[in-house]
C-alpha cells in the first residue's frame, strides 16, 4: 500500500474511535487506555511472536512507552477533561511538533512552505472545532500536549532507528509494553469500572482491534516508508473525522465558519504533500 495512503487511513480510523470513547465506553481513562493497548497488541503477539535481538529490547521499551503508554493515558485524560474542540486543537499541533523534532534528530530541515502548511492546518482545525466560549482545564490541556509530543517523538525515533523484526511483530510488542504499563497504573489508581455493558464491550473490541491493531500497523508502515515528517500532517484528519461522525450521530449541521475550517485543513494537506514532492524532485 502507498505509505501516505496508509498513514491517512490510520488517522481516519483513529478519528472514528472518539465517538465510542464519548458515547459508549465508561469514564475510566487509564483502564480504557490499558484495554486498548493490550487488546490491540496481544492478538498480534499471538499470531506473530518473533523476538527482537537483545540489544533492541531497550529501544522497543522506549518506543512502546512513547507511542502507546504515554500517548493513550494522556489522550484519554485530555478527552475526559476538555471540550472536543480544545482537545482536537491540541492534537492538531502534532504535525508541527513532529517537523520540529525531526529537524535535529533526523537532519530534515523543514521548508518554510511545509512548516507554514502544518501551521495553517492547525488553524483550520481550531476554526472547525472551537466555537463560542472556550473552557480550558489546565490538567487536560497539559495532558493533551504531552500526548501530542510523545506520539511525535515516538514516530521520529521509529523513523531514526528502523526495526529489527517484521512490522506487525514490532507493533505488537510496542502495544503490549504500553498496555502492561497502563494496566499497572490503572490498578494502582483504582481506575477500573465496576461493571461493563454489552455496548461497552463491543466498543472496546472495535477500539482495540480496528482502532489500535490495524491503525497502528498502517501508521508505522507509513512512517517507515515515507518518513515521520511526511506523514505527520495526516494527524489533522483525526479531529476532522471525529467531528464529521459527531455531527452525523448528533444530527447537527456544520456552520459556514466550520466548513471554512475544513477547507483550510484540506488545503493545508494538499500544499504540504505538494511541497514534499517538490523537495524530493529537487533532491533527485
Amino acid at each position: 500500500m502507498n505509505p501516505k495512503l496508509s498513514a491517512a487511513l490510520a488517522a481516519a480510523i483513529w478519528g472514528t474511535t472518539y465517538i465510542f470513547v464519548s458515547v459508549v465506553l465508561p469514564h475510566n481513562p487509564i483502564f480504557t487506555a490499558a484495554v486498548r493497548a493490550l487488546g490491540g497488541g496481544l492478538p498480534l503477539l499471538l499470531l506473530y511472536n518473533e523476538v527482537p535481538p537483545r540489544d533492541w529490547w531497550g529501544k522497543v521499551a522506549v518506543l512502546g512507552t512513547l507511542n502507546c503508554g504515554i500517548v493513550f493515558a494522556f489522550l484519554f485524560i485530555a478527552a475526559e477533561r476538555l471540550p472536543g474542540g480544545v482537545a482536537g486543537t491540541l492534537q492538531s499541533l502534532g504535525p508541527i511538533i513532529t517537523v520540529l523534532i525531526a529537524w535535529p534528530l533526523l537532519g530534515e530541515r523543514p521548508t518554510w512552505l511545509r512548516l507554514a502548511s502544518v501551521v495553517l492546518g492547525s488553524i483550520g482545525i481550531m476554526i472547525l472545532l472551537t466555537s463560542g466560549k472556550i473552557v480550558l482545564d489546565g490538567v487536560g490541556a497539559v495532558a493533551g500536549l504531552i500526548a501530542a509530543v510523545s506520539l511525535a517523538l515516538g514516530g521520529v525515533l521509529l523513523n531514526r532507528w528502523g526495526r529489527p523484526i517484521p512490522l506487525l511483530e514490532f507493533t505488537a510488542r510496542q502495544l503490549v509494553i504500553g498496555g502492561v504499563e497502563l494496566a499497572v497504573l490503572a490498578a494502582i489508581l483504582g481506575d477500573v469500572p465496576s461493571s461493563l455493558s454489552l455496548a461497552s464491550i463491543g466498543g472496546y473490541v472495535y477500539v482495540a482491534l480496528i482502532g489500535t491493531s490495524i491503525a497502528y500497523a498502517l501508521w508505522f508502515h507509513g512512517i517507515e516508508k515515507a518518513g515521520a515528517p511526511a506523514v505527520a500532517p495526516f494527524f489533522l484528519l483525526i479531529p476532522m473525522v471525529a467531528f464529521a461522525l459527531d455531527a452525523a450521530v448528533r444530527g447537527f449541521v456544520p456552520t459556514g465558519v466550520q466548513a471554512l475550517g475544513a477547507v483550510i485543513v484540506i488545503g493545508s494537506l494538499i500544499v504540504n504533500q505538494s511541497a514534499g514532492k517538490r523537495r524530493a524532485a529537487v533532491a533527485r
Side-chain angles (χ1 to χ4, degrees), residues 18 29-30 33 65-83 86-94 97 136-152 182 185:
Y18 278 83
I30 306 301
T65 301
L66 289 173
N67 287 321
C68 306
I70 294 176
V71 170
F72 288 177
F74 286 99
L75 192 63
F76 285 122
I77 291 172
E80 287 282 330
R81 302 183 67 102
L82 292 174
V86 178
T89 301
L90 290 172
Q91 191 174 49
S92 73
L93 298 176
I97 298 169
L136 187 62
D137 178 89
V139 174
V142 171
L145 286 173
I146 291 175
V149 171
S150 185
L151 188 57
L182 291 165
L185 183 60

Side-chain angles (χ1 to χ4, degrees), residues 4 61 68 140 165 231 280-281:
K4 292 183 179 180
C68 306
I165 57 176
V231 304

Side-chain angles (χ1 to χ4, degrees), residues 16-271:
T16 67
T17 63
Y18 278 83
I19 197 68
F20 290 92
V21 173
S22 61
V23 176
V24 177
L25 300 183
H27 299 290
N28 300 93
I30 306 301
F31 175 83
T32 296
V35 171
R36 179 183 181 183
L38 289 175
L42 288 175
L44 290 177
L45 199 62
L46 292 174
L47 293 174
Y48 308 98
N49 196 21
E50 184 173 341
V51 180
R54 182 178 292 273
D55 59 345
W56 264 85
W57 290 2
K59 291 181 180 179
V60 175
V62 170
L63 291 174
T65 301
L66 289 173
N67 287 321
C68 306
I70 294 176
V71 170
F72 288 177
F74 286 99
L75 192 63
F76 285 122
I77 291 172
E80 287 282 330
R81 302 183 67 102
L82 292 174
V86 178
T89 301
L90 290 172
Q91 191 174 49
S92 73
L93 298 176
I96 301 174
I97 298 169
T98 300
V99 168
L100 295 178
I101 291 176
W103 189 349
L105 291 183
L106 300 180
E108 295 188 17
R109 182 176 180 177
T111 63
W112 285 110
L113 183 59
R114 170 162 279 183
L115 189 58
S117 68
V118 293
V119 172
L120 184 64
S122 296
I123 294 173
I125 291 296
M126 187 181 301
I127 295 173
L128 174 68
L129 299 182
T130 306
S131 60
K133 184 179 179 180
I134 298 176
V135 180
L136 187 62
D137 178 89
V139 174
V142 171
L145 286 173
I146 291 175
V149 171
S150 185
L151 188 57
L153 179 58
V156 170
L157 289 178
L158 179 64
N159 198 176
R160 179 185 175 92
W161 290 339
R163 56 177 171 82
I165 57 176
L167 180 63
L168 288 178
E169 289 94 318
F170 201 52
T171 301
R173 294 195 174 276
Q174 291 181 65
L175 288 169
V176 171
I177 286 171
V180 170
E181 294 170 346
L182 291 165
V184 171
L185 183 60
I188 292 174
L189 298 177
D191 186 38
V192 179
S194 57
S195 62
L196 292 175
S197 65
L198 287 177
S200 296
I201 294 173
Y204 277 129
V205 170
Y206 176 85
V207 168
L209 297 182
I210 307 298
T212 305
S213 293
I214 294 175
Y216 262 78
L218 290 169
W219 183 253
F220 289 157
H221 171 72
I223 289 176
E224 182 180 53
K225 299 298 183 181
V231 304
F234 292 115
F235 276 132
L236 299 173
L237 293 177
I238 301 174
M240 278 195 65
V241 171
F243 175 82
L245 283 177
D246 191 48
V249 171
R250 301 182 192 277
F252 66 86
V253 178
T255 65
V257 174
Q258 290 172 322
L260 174 62
V263 170
I264 291 174
V265 174
I266 294 171
S268 74
L269 287 173
I270 294 173
V271 170

